[in-house]
Amino acid sequence: MSTATTGQDLCVCFPAAGGGGTTLTLLRDAAARHGLTALALPNAASVADLDSGRWQERTVEEIRRAADRRGARRIVLAGHSMGGLSAVRLQPALDMKGVRPTGVLVVNTPCPDSSGRIPTMSQLTDPEIAQVLAHDGFPPELLDDEDMLAEIAHGLRGDAAVADRLAERIAERIAEPIDPDERLTDLHVLCGRDDRFIPTERCAAWARRVSGEFHLTVVPGGHSLDAARTAALGRALAGVLATTPAEEEVA
């Protein structure tokens, strides 16, 4: 670990299925406003990439290097939907490696049920995926193009299969932690009350999975955040920072 005790804290951002989007942009902007360095990283590329441990290994190493370069005293893992599952999955790995004190903020991320299931698009047909995307304001001219829709749906189903496996692994870890550090401690959740894909109660269910502090913020809006939620997102990020002590404070 770097001996630096001052510098820019780090906010690692993970996208929803399909990658990118306005929510990821808003997360990065919120990080910058709070003086954090934003680092956007991908979710696992496939179930094999996740199950093999390769994604976790290279992502933890990339986060560690970025934190060392910037002299970060703490790290925030933030993710939208599937990206929130990535953040939750990586948090104990970072803690066990002693990288930095780490807080977690998830946006419209469903909590796995007792069987490790979540609402995903992995089993949805192209028309069903189009309906979900339409509710979230996806351009109708793209959804009306059958070839374009087929391409979009194929990619989303692939990402959703990874999200399904992430949810299963998280549920297993929470139910039977191998080590006390495997427990899910503090968690901040932001969700849109009008999200027709991930109901608010699926986000609120994280409260039963968290052994420490749990914070839930419900705002108007759907699955993807828009600029009107900038202030709420900023407050949620500030809350994570307030409950995640900097490295020198816990030394």
Side-chain angles (χ1 to χ4, degrees):
M1 183 187 298
S2 169
T3 58
T5 57
T6 60
Q8 275 199 309
D9 291 335
L10 187 65
C11 182
V12 185
C13 305
F14 296 94
T22 58
T23 303
L24 185 64
T25 299
L26 291 174
L27 279 170
R28 297 175 68 176
D29 290 348
R33 286 194 302 274
H34 282 78
L36 284 75
T37 298
L39 174 65
L41 294 179
N43 300 307
S46 65
V47 171
D49 192 29
L50 176 64
D51 285 350
S52 68
R54 292 189 298 268
W55 169 74
Q56 178 170 302
E57 182 178 350
R58 68 174 179 268
T59 304
V60 168
E61 179 60 21
E62 189 163 355
I63 293 170
R64 186 196 64 77
R65 289 199 305 266
D68 282 350
R69 285 196 303 270
R70 292 160 176 82
R73 299 181 304 155
R74 57 189 163 184
I75 297 167
V76 175
L77 298 175
H80 174 213
S81 195
M82 174 186 179
L85 295 172
S86 293
V88 171
R89 177 66 185 168
L90 287 171
Q91 190 265 342
L94 287 167
D95 269 2
M96 285 188 289
K97 287 182 176 292
V99 176
R100 297 292 190 282
T102 306
V104 183
L105 168 64
V106 301
V107 178
N108 283 331
T109 296
C111 179
D113 66 16
S114 58
S115 300
R117 291 189 296 267
I118 56 170
T120 71
M121 300 184 194
S122 58
Q123 302 300 317
L124 297 186
T125 64
D126 289 8
E128 288 170 333
I129 288 177
Q131 188 175 29
V132 171
L133 296 177
H135 286 317
D136 206 37
F138 204 83
E141 60 272 17
L142 297 181
L143 300 179
D144 291 339
D145 184 319
E146 290 187 5
D147 292 336
M148 180 64 69
L149 173 59
E151 182 177 343
I152 293 169
H154 177 74
L156 288 174
R157 276 191 291 268
D159 282 352
V162 178
D164 289 343
R165 183 58 60 88
L166 271 168
E168 292 172 3
R169 300 291 291 274
I170 289 168
E172 292 168 0
R173 187 250 295 182
I174 293 172
E176 298 182 13
I178 298 173
D179 184 280
D181 289 335
E182 283 277 289
R183 292 175 299 176
L184 180 59
T185 54
D186 302 346
L187 182 67
H188 292 246
V189 179
L190 180 68
C191 66
R193 69 167 60 99
D194 307 309
D195 187 345
R196 299 191 186 185
F197 182 50
I198 308 295
T200 302
E201 57 266 24
R202 294 304 297 266
C203 296
W206 284 109
R208 299 192 295 271
R209 302 285 199 170
V210 176
S211 62
E213 289 196 41
F214 175 74
H215 301 267
L216 174 67
T217 302
V218 182
V219 296
H223 190 62
S224 295
L225 298 183
D226 57 30
R229 311 302 155 222
T230 297
L233 181 59
R235 288 191 295 270
L237 181 56
V240 178
L241 294 172
T243 56
T244 306
E247 185 180 41
E248 60 199 37
E249 297 170 358
V250 296

